[in-house]
Amino acid sequence: KSSRFLVAMAALVGAVVYYFLGFGVGIQADGLSWQSGNKAFFWARYLDWLVTIPMLITALCLVVKVDIWEAGFMSATAILMVATSYVEFTSPGMFWMGLALSGVFLVITVGYLADAVMSSEEESRTGTVAFWVLAVALIVYPVVAILKATSGLNMVVEVILYALADIVSKAVFGFVISRSKADEVDDESDWSAQQPIQMQQYYQQQPIMQGAPM
């Protein structure tokens, strides 16, 4: 049940981060150089995403039985995606370059993940739905960043949008993953699969047993 463990841990990390944000921890104070406009910078979010997004990707890879090296590659590009998006707000004058680089890594991550899910022998409805849930959540993050930079997005609206994206990527995605039976110990199904073979062997032996002298 590794995939369920990973999504549970991702949800726990997200909950802890939001708990501290609620008390003002993980928010850059006003007036420092890496603040975006007149709005506080929620750097704890990036710590959250840096840890949880690779965990969510790995969980999906476990469900659809993606090769471990492919899962590692996608997790690495996700980390680079978050790291470059962090540069958008922490380095003056680097917003659009950071956004572009983050967008490149986003496309690589989602593209490879889509290909891995759709071409996997274990591709299923659960895996497909989980992929789309995660992909939509990942796309929301840069969209909010662009709105924040270009239209002066209200901080309250920004917080709500990011929170909704986090809920989708962790709670909704986790619920979908929890419906999968891909990584459960399926002894019952193994037993069921063996029954036709055992029954066939039994009936093949019947003529011999019936013709044997008492």
Side-chain angles (χ1 to χ4, degrees):
K1 302 180 181 180
S2 301
S3 62
R4 295 180 182 181
F5 173 77
L6 285 172
V7 294
M9 290 302 298
L12 177 61
V13 171
V16 170
V17 168
Y18 271 92
Y19 174 82
F20 282 106
L21 285 174
F23 287 95
V25 179
I27 303 174
Q28 190 63 44
D30 292 343
L32 296 184
S33 61
W34 57 14
Q35 187 180 329
S36 176
N38 296 320
K39 301 175 182 178
F41 176 63
F42 296 79
W43 60 264
R45 283 200 197 113
Y46 294 85
L47 182 61
D48 172 9
W49 299 333
L50 194 67
V51 174
T52 59
I53 291 178
M55 293 173 70
L56 299 173
I57 290 173
T58 303
L60 179 55
C61 289
L62 287 172
V63 169
V64 296
K65 308 299 183 186
V66 173
D67 180 78
I68 187 172
W69 295 107
E70 285 188 80
F73 172 77
M74 288 181 281
S75 295
T77 56
I79 290 172
L80 291 172
M81 175 186 70
V82 176
T84 50
S85 66
Y86 182 80
V87 172
E88 297 171 19
F89 293 101
T90 58
S91 300
M94 295 287 290
F95 175 82
W96 292 109
M97 181 177 293
L99 180 65
L101 289 173
S102 180
V104 169
F105 289 120
L106 172 63
V107 171
I108 293 173
T109 303
V110 174
Y112 267 86
L113 191 58
D115 180 68
V117 170
M118 303 307 172
S119 63
S120 171
E121 294 180 358
E122 298 291 334
E123 191 274 330
S124 63
R125 179 178 175 82
T126 299
T128 303
V129 172
F131 161 74
W132 283 111
V133 169
L134 184 59
V136 168
L138 292 178
I139 293 171
V140 168
Y141 296 130
V143 170
V144 175
I146 293 173
L147 292 175
K148 180 179 178 180
T150 59
S151 63
L153 189 67
N154 182 274
M155 187 171 65
V156 174
V157 177
E158 173 200 344
V159 169
I160 291 174
L161 290 176
Y162 276 135
L164 288 174
D166 284 334
I167 290 171
V168 170
S169 66
K170 295 179 177 68
V172 178
F173 177 83
F175 175 78
V176 174
I177 290 295
S178 70
R179 307 296 295 173
S180 171
K181 298 180 180 179
D183 58 353
E184 290 184 353
V185 177
D186 203 1
D187 293 335
E188 183 178 351
S189 63
D190 292 342
W191 180 85
S192 299
Q194 293 173 3
Q195 297 313 298
I197 299 174
Q198 294 174 351
M199 293 297 291
Q200 183 180 8
Q201 292 174 345
Y202 173 80
Y203 283 114
Q204 285 175 347
Q205 294 173 0
Q206 290 307 299
I208 299 175
M209 295 175 63
Q210 292 174 358
M214 300 297 291

